Amino acid sequence: MVHTTQCCILMGCLCLFYPWSQVCEWREPEELAALLDLELRENGEPQHQLLQRIRDVAKYSVKTNHPRFFNQLFAGVDYHALTGRFLTEALNTSQYTYEVAPVFVLMEDEVLSKLRSLVGWAEGDGIFCPGGTMSNMYAMNVARYRAFPEVKLKGMWSLPRLAVFTSQQSHYSVMKAAAFQGIGTENVFKVKVDDRGCMIPEDLGETIELAKSQGAVPFFVHATSGTTVQGAFDPLEPIADICDRQGLWMHVDAAWGGSVLFSKEHKHLMRGVERADSVTWNPHKMMLTGLQCSAILLKDTTHLLKHCHSADAKYLFQQDKFYDTSLDTGDKSIQCGRKVDCLKLWLMWKAVGSKGLEERVDRAFTHTRYLVEEMQRREGFELIGKVAPVIKERMMKQGTMMLGYQPQGGRVNFFRMIVISPQLSHQDMTFCLNEIERLGNDL
C-alpha cells in the first residue's frame, strides 16, 4: 500500500494540471524565497505542511501547459506522454542494460527505428540524449572519430586543426560542442544566410575553401531544420551535394523542425535529409512529449557510436551474459546512468498514431498562418528599440501570458511567437496580439 503522505503529495502534484487563469504569479526573488521557505532543516515536516509546499511550488511556477505560454519551443501537455513520465519515475530504472531495463531497451530500439524510417533510412543507429545540445555534441564527436579514429587513444595532439561549418543562425550548441571537444570556437566557420535565415550553399562552398587556405581540415557541416529564432530550414539537397564532393560528415539539427517529417504537407521543408549522416530530433518540442526527449539518429551501420564512446566497463557490460549482449546499449552513451526517455513518446504515439502527430504539426502551421494574417490586418504592429522588454516585463508581472523576445543580427528586439500547444486556439492568438497592444499602448 502507498503511504498516506505519498498519496497526499501525489494529489498535490496533480494540481499542476488544473486550469489556471494566469501563466505565472510573478514574485521578486527575495519575496519568492521567503514565501516558499526553502531552508532545509534537521527535522522533517508533517504531511499537511508538505502538501502546502507542493501547492506553493505549483502556484508560483510558470504554467508551461497554459495555452498562452508562447515563450519557449516546448509548450502544452499530452496526457498520454505525461502518464509515461509518471510511470518512468515510479519504475526508476536506468537505460543501459537489458538486465535492468528489458522493456525499455526493446522500446527504445523500436522508437528510434521508427524515427529513422521517417528520416528515410531503413537501417542505422541512435540513442536518446539529455537534450538537443548533447545530441549535437554526439554528432560532432562521432564525425571526428570517423575522420580521425586515433583521437580516442592519442588525444588532441594527434589531430590537425579541424574546421566545423554552420550557419549564422544555427543553435549555440555548435559553439559549445567545439569548445567542449577541444576543437575551439575559432574553428567554427559561420556561413551566411539569406533573408529567411537559411544557409546559402554557395557561401558554404566558399567558406570551406577559405578554411582550407588557412590550413584547417574540414570534417563537419552542421545544417539546421528549424532555426531557434526564425524557424528557418536550410536547403539540405545542395548542402548534401557539397558534403559528398568534399567527403564531409553532414549533420542536420532538426531538434525543432524534425517533426515536419510526420506531415505530408510540410515534410518538403526537409527534402534531402535522408542524405545526412546524422540527425538531431527533439520530440519534446513540436510533438509535446514533455521534457526531455531528444534523439541522435545516425545512418551508420558499422557501430561508430559504440566504437567512439565505449569504455568497456567489465562490471556492467560483461560479454558472457546469458542473453544477447548487443542489447546492452549503454556503452554507446557518453553517460553511464541514463533516463528512460522512450516510454512517454512510445505511449503517446501508440495513443494518437502517426496520423494524430501529423495533425498536430499541421495545426501549428495553421496557427502560424492565422497569426501572420491577423498581424497584417493591424496597422503599425511593429515593435522596436526598448519597447519589447518593457511589454515583456508587464506581461510577466500581470501573468496574462509569456512571450519571448530577442535581437538578431542587425534587427532590434522583436517578439518570437511559438504556436505548438494543443490547447491553443485562434482566440488565444487574437488575445496575444490584443494584449501586446494593451500593454504597450502608452509606449
Side-chain angles (χ1 to χ4, degrees), residues 45-210:
E45 296 181 342
Q47 70 175 45
H48 72 275
Q49 199 164 8
L50 292 174
L51 184 55
Q52 185 57 49
R53 301 287 188 218
I54 294 296
R55 288 171 175 154
D56 288 342
V57 168
K59 180 178 181 180
Y60 296 111
S61 291
V62 173
K63 315 304 184 297
T64 66
N65 58 325
H66 195 291
R68 291 170 185 168
F69 175 82
F70 308 112
N71 211 65
Q72 257 72 44
L73 298 178
F74 57 88
V77 60
D78 178 281
Y79 291 102
H80 305 101
L82 179 61
T83 301
R85 291 156 73 187
F86 279 139
L87 184 54
T88 296
E89 294 303 312
L91 292 172
N92 189 40
T93 195
S94 183
Q95 178 102 33
Y96 45 38
T97 65
Y98 184 79
E99 182 177 350
V100 298
V103 172
F104 301 128
V105 165
L106 299 179
M107 186 180 291
E108 181 179 56
D109 182 64
E110 174 62 26
V111 173
L112 291 172
S113 176
K114 194 69 174 180
L115 292 175
R116 285 195 302 268
S117 71
L118 289 167
V119 171
W121 302 331
E123 298 179 284
D125 203 351
I127 199 167
F128 278 94
C129 307
T133 291
M134 284 301 300
S135 295
N136 290 338
M137 285 185 175
Y138 268 93
M140 190 181 293
N141 202 39
V142 173
R144 182 176 64 176
Y145 177 80
R146 185 188 70 168
F148 300 96
E150 63 271 22
V151 69
K152 183 174 179 180
L153 293 177
K154 297 182 179 179
M156 294 297 296
W157 72 269
S158 65
L159 299 178
R161 176 191 172 194
L162 299 180
V164 171
F165 304 87
T166 190
S167 88
Q168 294 172 332
Q169 301 301 329
S170 65
H171 192 257
Y172 66 85
S173 59
V174 184
M175 303 295 282
K176 280 181 173 283
F180 185 77
Q181 294 173 23
I183 293 168
T185 57
E186 288 187 355
N187 295 314
V188 177
F189 290 78
K190 294 294 185 72
V191 181
K192 294 177 183 177
V193 297
D194 59 23
D195 291 340
R196 297 171 300 158
C198 304
M199 182 189 289
I200 300 173
E202 294 77 13
D203 191 62
L204 172 61
E206 293 173 6
T207 306
I208 290 172
E209 295 306 318
L210 173 64

